[in-house]
Amino acid sequence: MRQKITFTILLLITCFLGYAQNGTIAGKVQDKEVNNDPLPFANISIKGTTKGTTSDFDGLYQIQNVEPGTYTLVFSFVGYETREIPNVVVNPGKITTVDIILGANAASLDAVVIEATTRKVSEASLLLEQKKAVDIRQSIGAEELARKGVSDAAGAVTKISGVSKQEGSSNVYVRGLGDRYLNTTFNGLPLPSNDINKKNIELSLFASDVIENVSISKAFSSKQYGDFAAGNVNIDSKDYKGKGYLDAFVGTSINTNAIGENFVVSEGSGFFGDYARHNQNPFAVILSHGVDPEDVSAPINVSFGISGGKSWSFENDSRLSVFGTVSFENGYEYRRGEATDFTTVEKKAFQDAEEFEYSTTTTAMGTLNYKIDDKNKVKLNSLFINSSTNEVGYFGIDGKGRNRDAILNTDEGFYQMNAQFDQNQVYVNQLIGNHKSGKFEVDWAAGYNVVYAKQPDRKRISIENYQFALDNDPTTNPTFFSNVDYDNQRYFQDIDDTEFNGRLNLSYEANENFKLNLGYNARSKERDFENIRYGYDIVDSDFAIADVNNLNNVFTPSNLNLTSGGIYEIKVINTFPGLNNTNRPGSAENTYKGNLDLFAGYADAEIKTGKWLIVPGVRFESFDQSIAYDVINLGNNGNSSRSAYENFILPSLNVKYALTEEQNLRFSASRTVSLPEFKETAPFVYIDVTNRIGGNPDLLGATDASFINVSDKSYSNVINLDLKYEWFFGKGEIFSVSAFAKQISDPVNRVVAFDATGTQRYFRTGEQADVYGVEIEIRKNLLQNEEEETLLSAGLNTTFMHTEQDLFDVIQGTYSVNFRSNSEQLQGASPFIINADVSYSPTFGSYKPTGNLVFSYFADRIDALGSGQLGNIIEKSVPTLDFILKNKITDNFEVNFSIKNILNPDIKFVRETSGGDVLVTSTNGKGVSGFDRGRNIGLQLKYKF
């Protein structure tokens, strides 16, 4: 026995000594395509052996226990050149260092679609960027978007911690702060809004075909615009480097609510979301076209698209790459719920209402990328988006609609039809460059954006005694409600936005421990708005409507009351010189022109010392905004203007401490501002069926001595604090926890006026608002195969938040409100948000499907503050659950299946009252409330040529 033990010990010692005499190969793999950054997950192997490894997040690798000798190392990465390094000598007990830089190899690529940009779209590579970033940010790339079945940027951002989207609309909230506290950029350049009621462009317009990744910066740095409170959403456009390829897809889906309905759309709109009569005079349109909606044969959603790219390599390592994509998708949705206009009393109530919505999005993007050499690159990017929404609403379809202003019957029979078409055309053009020389690097970009947002020919008809249309008695018929000339109307609205913007950044990297950035931003934005209404004045008040579904027989030129005996007259508010307001064309009813100029210089330094990265910065920004308006709701004061000019000094500090190679501790502190948007300051009032919303010029400051709690402030001051721990514990895996706090002075809220109209407007409602919260995120690979490919993974992020703001007792200015409480939660802030997903990717031979369950939830939040004795309007909590099955049949062919909105929750807005909650509609929502959207069941075929 003793001999056996002695032999075993001697054997172990011999093995140990033998192992100790072996050597190690180690080094770093860098990415030539991305400024020689570390290249993670590259494969390193010893040729002719089974030994090998992969590089880590920092591009580092190590192969241990290599017997002494001379070897050939092989380095490879998907879409990159494979390089062999011969004559690598390994000495006993020594470390042999081999560093290498890999670049894309277009000549050897066949099956890879997004080759050299794979790092920018994959989950693992984006986590690497998050780990290295000098500020606090999170991203989601094209790879994750495809896996989770996300079709646009609005859906993308909701997969990021602390972010939620308003169901049934495109409103996005970051840490509970909504549209006015966000910024949206495309390749780092600002974007204009496509909607009069929003500051930011609708993220749903950006289809996943054009998205490389979407990121949200939640902590301010000096390079960003000072109008920063919740964060900045940046969309990076897709790029391509590699051998030529072509992708095509076609898909179809149904909405379970819409498929069984006799679907209708507003007259005059096309299948692809176009409107042929934009350039015709509205009065001519009214005379030549009726008001009745048109039938749709089959409400089945379709989508199709094509994308492709190619690279050409030249001498001196130069390369020209092109990428293009065109896609179209539409959608049918049917909603049935209630629509109530309730302030201190009920004004209008439709307990049974329905809406038909047909939406389209057409996207086209082209990118030209020229790599002059390793130190000079230029990129031209052009994007076009055409989106449309076609809504037809019938309110009071049960014959029990109520209107306290009704003439014949206030208790039943009030009915309204509203048919409208909204079309938005967005043009984004950008030229971007990057140049290096020694220790200097210049990054620059210039952009020109145009938005045409139109609402042509909205038709609204009001009817009394609608119950008679349902009784099958030919002797009883409904009649038109005509309390004022515009109870029956045609409405036309146009918005033109133009913007020039640019950036310039000069970097000087003195050494690996110190980098200095000096930069300049400029932005000049202009908006022109006008609208006009034509009212149908019903002169024959006893006219009986024989068929409520054929109103075109009523509103014809032959029934126009030109002298006498007609049924109706056409009225306009503002006349052309020399013409009266009856049966004649008119001029715009409301107009405004907004201008915004922002110019800024900044400086920051990236200082590395040991495990510390310290980035102090300062931004000097000049803000000049004006609004000139001519509106009817202010009477003699309606033709006026306001302006504001401010200079800001905005310091920031971002600190990162590397606890280990995988763990970071971050801290951020900054001062930023929140600026008013055109739609918040223009006193034009948009009147929907059951709500009204308008702007308030006092947000740009006012000095009237008679005003109460209205200051000369034109901005909100914001103090931001963030503390974050993050642990990157594996490939594509992360755990992080963040604490954040914000203090907002002179906060702006949307408030429902305590008056007969119940108009919602924007006010600086108090002196201060405080926001505190915690975010937690985890992504984990739960199951892997022998090749370390992930089979089962899960992700979870959640946010807990507390907000509180003080409220003035009374605000008296151009518009006035008062509050019955002295504090309230911040409008739009949800105290609890959760996003989660589970992904399963089994392998059956060459068949590799991927199934995903994606869940999100937000708790109740204030949609609009009540004033006087009015309670708040509350958006009720909404859970959503989607299932996406990706089926890669072959390397070139996919068949994908999805079920969206599986839980199909009710979408509700309620007003808090002493007698309980009352279901109401929202200016942020749809025309009805208390509805479900139905489930969308879809199938997609995709082929790669």
mmCIF file of all heavy atoms in Angstrom, residues 161-175:
data_model
loop_
_atom_site.group_PDB
_atom_site.id
_atom_site.type_symbol
_atom_site.label_atom_id
_atom_site.label_comp_id
_atom_site.label_asym_id
_atom_site.label_seq_id
_atom_site.Cartn_x
_atom_site.Cartn_y
_atom_site.Cartn_z
ATOM 1 N N SER A 161 -33.978 48.368 -20.288
ATOM 2 C CA SER A 161 -34.458 48.614 -18.924
ATOM 3 C C SER A 161 -34.857 50.071 -18.737
ATOM 4 O O SER A 161 -34.220 50.984 -19.243
ATOM 5 C CB SER A 161 -33.375 48.237 -17.907
ATOM 6 O OG SER A 161 -32.227 49.033 -18.075
ATOM 7 N N GLY A 162 -35.955 50.257 -17.986
ATOM 8 C CA GLY A 162 -36.435 51.601 -17.672
ATOM 9 C C GLY A 162 -37.242 52.246 -18.763
ATOM 10 O O GLY A 162 -37.602 53.420 -18.652
ATOM 11 N N VAL A 163 -37.575 51.485 -19.820
ATOM 12 C CA VAL A 163 -38.277 52.060 -20.965
ATOM 13 C C VAL A 163 -39.628 51.368 -21.131
ATOM 14 O O VAL A 163 -39.738 50.154 -21.025
ATOM 15 C CB VAL A 163 -37.457 51.908 -22.257
ATOM 16 C CG1 VAL A 163 -38.181 52.556 -23.431
ATOM 17 C CG2 VAL A 163 -36.073 52.527 -22.084
ATOM 18 N N SER A 164 -40.649 52.163 -21.391
ATOM 19 C CA SER A 164 -41.968 51.606 -21.680
ATOM 20 C C SER A 164 -42.600 52.410 -22.803
ATOM 21 O O SER A 164 -42.232 53.553 -23.056
ATOM 22 C CB SER A 164 -42.874 51.637 -20.439
ATOM 23 O OG SER A 164 -43.116 52.968 -20.029
ATOM 24 N N LYS A 165 -43.544 51.793 -23.485
ATOM 25 C CA LYS A 165 -44.248 52.438 -24.586
ATOM 26 C C LYS A 165 -45.729 52.428 -24.289
ATOM 27 O O LYS A 165 -46.249 51.473 -23.723
ATOM 28 C CB LYS A 165 -43.977 51.715 -25.905
ATOM 29 C CG LYS A 165 -44.550 52.429 -27.133
ATOM 30 C CD LYS A 165 -44.057 51.771 -28.411
ATOM 31 C CE LYS A 165 -44.803 50.497 -28.714
ATOM 32 N NZ LYS A 165 -46.165 50.751 -29.215
ATOM 33 N N GLN A 166 -46.402 53.512 -24.662
ATOM 34 C CA GLN A 166 -47.840 53.578 -24.460
ATOM 35 C C GLN A 166 -48.521 52.676 -25.469
ATOM 36 O O GLN A 166 -48.354 52.845 -26.676
ATOM 37 C CB GLN A 166 -48.330 55.018 -24.620
ATOM 38 C CG GLN A 166 -49.762 55.226 -24.207
ATOM 39 C CD GLN A 166 -50.110 56.694 -24.188
ATOM 40 O OE1 GLN A 166 -49.784 57.409 -25.115
ATOM 41 N NE2 GLN A 166 -50.754 57.151 -23.149
ATOM 42 N N GLU A 167 -49.245 51.691 -24.973
ATOM 43 C CA GLU A 167 -49.890 50.726 -25.856
ATOM 44 C C GLU A 167 -50.936 51.420 -26.712
ATOM 45 O O GLU A 167 -51.733 52.223 -26.242
ATOM 46 C CB GLU A 167 -50.535 49.614 -25.037
ATOM 47 C CG GLU A 167 -50.963 48.422 -25.850
ATOM 48 C CD GLU A 167 -49.788 47.720 -26.494
ATOM 49 O OE1 GLU A 167 -48.648 47.869 -26.001
ATOM 50 O OE2 GLU A 167 -50.003 47.020 -27.493
ATOM 51 N N GLY A 168 -50.914 51.105 -27.996
ATOM 52 C CA GLY A 168 -51.849 51.731 -28.910
ATOM 53 C C GLY A 168 -51.353 53.039 -29.482
ATOM 54 O O GLY A 168 -52.032 53.679 -30.268
ATOM 55 N N SER A 169 -50.145 53.467 -29.088
ATOM 56 C CA SER A 169 -49.547 54.672 -29.656
ATOM 57 C C SER A 169 -48.050 54.485 -29.673
ATOM 58 O O SER A 169 -47.515 53.462 -29.246
ATOM 59 C CB SER A 169 -49.925 55.920 -28.842
ATOM 60 O OG SER A 169 -49.099 56.045 -27.703
ATOM 61 N N SER A 170 -47.333 55.496 -30.166
ATOM 62 C CA SER A 170 -45.876 55.383 -30.255
ATOM 63 C C SER A 170 -45.173 56.161 -29.153
ATOM 64 O O SER A 170 -43.959 56.326 -29.192
ATOM 65 C CB SER A 170 -45.400 55.902 -31.625
ATOM 66 O OG SER A 170 -45.738 57.267 -31.776
ATOM 67 N N ASN A 171 -45.893 56.646 -28.155
ATOM 68 C CA ASN A 171 -45.267 57.410 -27.075
ATOM 69 C C ASN A 171 -44.337 56.518 -26.256
ATOM 70 O O ASN A 171 -44.745 55.451 -25.790
ATOM 71 C CB ASN A 171 -46.339 58.018 -26.158
ATOM 72 C CG ASN A 171 -47.166 59.064 -26.882
ATOM 73 O OD1 ASN A 171 -46.631 59.885 -27.620
ATOM 74 N ND2 ASN A 171 -48.469 59.018 -26.691
ATOM 75 N N VAL A 172 -43.104 56.969 -26.077
ATOM 76 C CA VAL A 172 -42.090 56.219 -25.352
ATOM 77 C C VAL A 172 -41.729 56.971 -24.076
ATOM 78 O O VAL A 172 -41.593 58.199 -24.077
ATOM 79 C CB VAL A 172 -40.836 56.013 -26.230
ATOM 80 C CG1 VAL A 172 -39.686 55.437 -25.417
ATOM 81 C CG2 VAL A 172 -41.169 55.090 -27.404
ATOM 82 N N TYR A 173 -41.590 56.221 -22.978
ATOM 83 C CA TYR A 173 -41.214 56.799 -21.693
ATOM 84 C C TYR A 173 -39.908 56.158 -21.225
ATOM 85 O O TYR A 173 -39.776 54.933 -21.220
ATOM 86 C CB TYR A 173 -42.309 56.539 -20.644
ATOM 87 C CG TYR A 173 -43.630 57.186 -20.967
ATOM 88 C CD1 TYR A 173 -44.549 56.550 -21.804
ATOM 89 C CD2 TYR A 173 -43.965 58.426 -20.449
ATOM 90 C CE1 TYR A 173 -45.762 57.141 -22.109
ATOM 91 C CE2 TYR A 173 -45.182 59.023 -20.740
ATOM 92 C CZ TYR A 173 -46.069 58.382 -21.570
ATOM 93 O OH TYR A 173 -47.273 58.959 -21.881
ATOM 94 N N VAL A 174 -38.945 56.988 -20.846
ATOM 95 C CA VAL A 174 -37.677 56.524 -20.292
ATOM 96 C C VAL A 174 -37.609 56.973 -18.844
ATOM 97 O O VAL A 174 -37.667 58.171 -18.553
ATOM 98 C CB VAL A 174 -36.479 57.073 -21.081
ATOM 99 C CG1 VAL A 174 -35.158 56.633 -20.430
ATOM 100 C CG2 VAL A 174 -36.537 56.596 -22.525
ATOM 101 N N ARG A 175 -37.517 55.992 -17.950
ATOM 102 C CA ARG A 175 -37.534 56.274 -16.521
ATOM 103 C C ARG A 175 -38.747 57.129 -16.140
ATOM 104 O O ARG A 175 -38.667 58.020 -15.302
ATOM 105 C CB ARG A 175 -36.238 56.959 -16.096
ATOM 106 C CG ARG A 175 -35.030 56.047 -16.152
ATOM 107 C CD ARG A 175 -33.750 56.776 -15.821
ATOM 108 N NE ARG A 175 -32.656 55.821 -15.616
ATOM 109 C CZ ARG A 175 -31.401 56.187 -15.400
ATOM 110 N NH1 ARG A 175 -31.079 57.464 -15.373
ATOM 111 N NH2 ARG A 175 -30.479 55.282 -15.204
#
